[in-house]
Amino acid sequence: MTPEEILQGLYDETLVGNGPRVLELTEEGLSASMEPQTLLFDALIPSLEEVGARFERGDFFVPEMLIAGKAMAGAMERLRPLLAETGVQTIGKFLMGTVKGDVHDIGKNLVNIMLEGAGFEVIDLGVQVAPEKFVSAIEEHQPDIVGFSAFLTTTMPMFKANMNALEKAGMRNDVIVMVGGAPVTQEYADAVGADGYAADASQTVKRAKALLDEKRSMVPA
């Protein structure tokens, strides 16, 4: 296969979520001495962006997004160490976790894959993350953005508890805070004092980039 055919294949197979074939094509590309960042930026990311666009238009639904995301995640497992070696610049660091009392992670995991595909370094704290764990992880990793995820209306109040913990630790102004999850709304995000809210994975990526650009443009050179 030519490099062009490999890239086209990667794009097409990621779009339909054919994980095994995406992995095969990734290996083929690397065997043909293609750069890992070429595979990522010229095929995998554009494909996932198309998945996001189709989701927004209503042509794709959550299952399609999940299988495409999973296919991409398989390729990323293989490419991540190679990308680190070549020093590919990440656009920002995103710390993510599902709040205390909540064990749902499908949406969060999908967002992580989309963010990573878009060039973010993602640190995932998993589920049932207590406020103090978010605080110590922020101290350790110094992220640009922190994401709180909640799937239940009963765990949404943890957003406020997390915000209070950040305030108390004196780090609220150091990070951009985004919230999301099935029952969450823009109104609720505003009420708890979050900087951003997104209704789905592809919107999260757009919003995260916009918030980061905004914050960076405000920092004096």
Side-chain angles (χ1 to χ4, degrees):
M1 291 177 87
T2 66
E4 288 73 25
E5 285 169 340
I6 289 171
L7 291 175
Q8 188 61 53
L10 269 176
Y11 180 93
D12 294 340
E13 299 295 351
T14 301
L15 202 57
V16 295
N18 186 348
R21 187 68 188 127
V22 168
L23 208 48
E24 275 174 25
L25 287 163
T26 302
E27 293 295 355
E28 275 189 48
L30 294 171
S31 301
S33 301
M34 292 177 73
E35 294 289 332
Q37 54 265 49
T38 302
L39 302 177
L40 182 63
F41 293 112
D42 294 353
L44 294 166
I45 289 177
S47 185
L48 217 54
E49 283 173 345
E50 175 60 22
V51 169
R54 291 186 185 193
F55 179 79
E56 283 171 24
R57 290 199 304 266
D59 297 333
F60 269 18
F61 299 96
V62 170
E64 285 91 345
M65 279 188 89
L66 279 172
I67 60 166
K70 244 183 165 163
M72 164 110 181
M76 282 305 294
E77 286 293 314
R78 180 72 180 88
L79 295 175
R80 197 178 288 117
L82 303 173
L83 292 164
E85 279 170 30
T86 55
V88 169
Q89 195 61 46
T90 57
I91 59 173
K93 198 182 280 192
F94 201 115
L95 182 79
M96 173 76 91
T98 301
V99 298
K100 188 177 178 182
D102 206 319
V103 296
H104 294 85
D105 66 357
I106 288 178
K108 172 183 66 65
N109 294 348
L110 179 58
V111 170
N112 289 349
I113 292 164
M114 296 284 276
L115 285 167
E116 201 169 8
F120 280 91
E121 179 189 345
V122 178
I123 298 129
D124 183 7
L125 300 179
V127 299
Q128 292 264 30
V129 183
E132 56 274 19
K133 191 171 176 187
F134 275 114
V135 168
S136 61
I138 291 168
E139 282 172 352
E140 183 187 343
H141 298 287
Q142 304 285 310
D144 300 291
I145 306 176
V146 180
F148 303 142
S149 171
F151 190 78
L152 307 167
T153 50
T154 50
T155 56
M156 279 165 55
M158 286 309 298
F159 289 162
K160 191 63 187 156
N162 290 342
M163 298 296 277
N164 291 344
L166 296 189
E167 291 279 1
K168 200 173 166 190
M171 54 176 58
R172 171 63 191 98
N173 295 330
D174 301 339
V175 290
I176 295 164
V177 175
M178 291 186 70
V179 296
V184 187
T185 61
Q186 181 65 61
E187 288 72 25
Y188 195 84
D190 293 341
V192 298
D195 300 307
Y197 156 77
D200 57 58
S202 59
Q203 285 296 328
T204 304
V205 173
K206 285 183 187 170
R207 194 83 189 92
K209 282 181 173 176
L211 286 164
L212 205 49
D213 288 346
E214 207 176 291
K215 185 170 185 180
R216 286 174 176 164
S217 69
M218 286 162 67
V219 177

